[in-house]
Amino acid sequence: MAAEQLYNEKDLLVRIADGDESAFAELFHFYTARLHLHVTGLVKSAPIAEEIIQETFLRVWMNRDQLPGIEFPRAWIFSIASNICFNHLRQQLRKEKHLRVLASRAEDYQNEIPVLTELKEIRTAIHDAVDHLSGQRRLIWLLYREQGLKQSEIASQLNISVSTVKNTIAQSLDFIRKHMRDKGFWIPICLLEAIMKISS
């Protein structure tokens, strides 16, 4: 892999179009840091930049069937991110200048950026899945995700082995993923984990 270009990127895009999540994860991790600098420079907020990057890759995944025909993938991905940034900036401008008008046209605004609505629905589904985790599994998940405890700290606190904690977290993630699919959201594991990091 070169510093500024993915090795055999065209082949990678074909694999993603076929639903290969490992290929998508490679694309995701390669472009995330590069997008972060670009997006943060536009919106001047790291937390908002994180959400925009999530929206960008959600849109890439939802439109993966187009990938084999994309001649310049980097430009395409950056264009998606830039458009979402500009939508966000326009929203902020409207809030400042036309707050009451925006309130009356909230439904129209949602139609302008459907990916934002999709992301909110995904987060709602994640929280619903967590609510369906049972007993100790839910406790371990909340300690790990919401309180940010290390696996060793959870094991010590609950008087169980680290391997039990690790396996429980993996089982919970698998349960959440299956729950998401039952709700109609087929999200690559790398993107699902990124969304969960700021959804807790």
Side-chain angles (χ1 to χ4, degrees):
M1 183 184 296
E4 292 299 329
Q5 185 175 356
L6 276 169
Y7 174 73
N8 205 4
E9 191 167 38
K10 288 290 186 180
D11 176 65
L12 199 69
L13 299 184
V14 172
R15 288 165 53 201
I16 295 171
D18 289 337
D20 187 330
E21 292 190 20
S22 64
F24 180 83
E26 188 174 347
L27 187 81
F28 176 83
H29 292 301
F30 179 82
Y31 279 112
T32 294
R34 292 160 176 79
L35 277 174
H36 198 279
L37 183 63
H38 171 70
V39 172
T40 303
L42 290 174
V43 300
K44 311 301 181 185
S45 167
I48 291 174
E50 291 288 346
E51 294 201 10
I52 288 174
I53 291 169
Q54 290 175 17
E55 291 180 33
T56 299
F57 283 103
L58 181 59
R59 186 171 295 183
V60 169
W61 180 253
M62 291 168 64
N63 293 282
R64 60 189 179 279
D65 59 311
Q66 300 179 23
L67 291 174
I70 301 297
E71 187 173 357
F72 302 106
R74 179 188 176 93
W76 185 68
I77 292 171
F78 271 72
S79 176
I80 291 173
S82 296
N83 286 337
I84 297 173
C85 286
F86 296 145
N87 279 336
H88 168 76
L89 293 173
R90 280 196 294 268
Q91 178 201 14
Q92 296 307 307
L93 184 60
R94 288 170 182 165
K95 280 184 177 179
E96 293 171 5
K97 293 185 176 181
H98 308 289
L99 188 56
R100 280 178 292 184
V101 174
L102 271 182
S104 66
R105 296 183 58 196
E107 184 176 348
D108 291 340
Y109 173 69
Q110 289 295 333
N111 290 334
E112 290 177 13
I113 47 173
V115 176
L116 179 58
T117 302
E118 180 87 1
L119 192 58
K120 288 180 179 178
E121 291 174 353
I122 290 172
R123 286 178 178 150
T124 298
I126 289 172
H127 287 299
D128 183 56
V130 172
D131 287 341
H132 280 80
L133 291 172
S134 59
Q136 183 170 277
R137 182 180 292 184
R138 184 170 187 271
L139 175 60
I140 290 174
W141 181 264
L142 293 176
L143 290 172
Y144 181 66
R145 279 295 181 188
E146 294 194 0
Q147 296 190 25
L149 297 185
K150 296 178 180 178
Q151 294 179 12
S152 58
E153 293 172 331
I154 297 172
S156 177
Q157 183 170 322
L158 299 181
N159 196 27
I160 56 179
S161 68
V162 174
S163 62
T164 297
V165 174
K166 183 178 180 179
N167 290 337
T168 301
I169 290 171
Q171 291 166 4
S172 297
L173 183 57
D174 186 56
F175 174 86
I176 291 170
R177 195 181 193 199
K178 289 178 180 177
H179 182 89
M180 297 290 290
R181 290 191 174 183
D182 289 343
K183 294 290 185 180
F185 298 110
W186 183 33
I187 308 297
I189 197 70
C190 62
L191 184 54
L192 182 60
E193 289 182 323
I195 293 171
M196 285 191 292
K197 283 181 181 178
I198 63 173
S199 295
S200 301

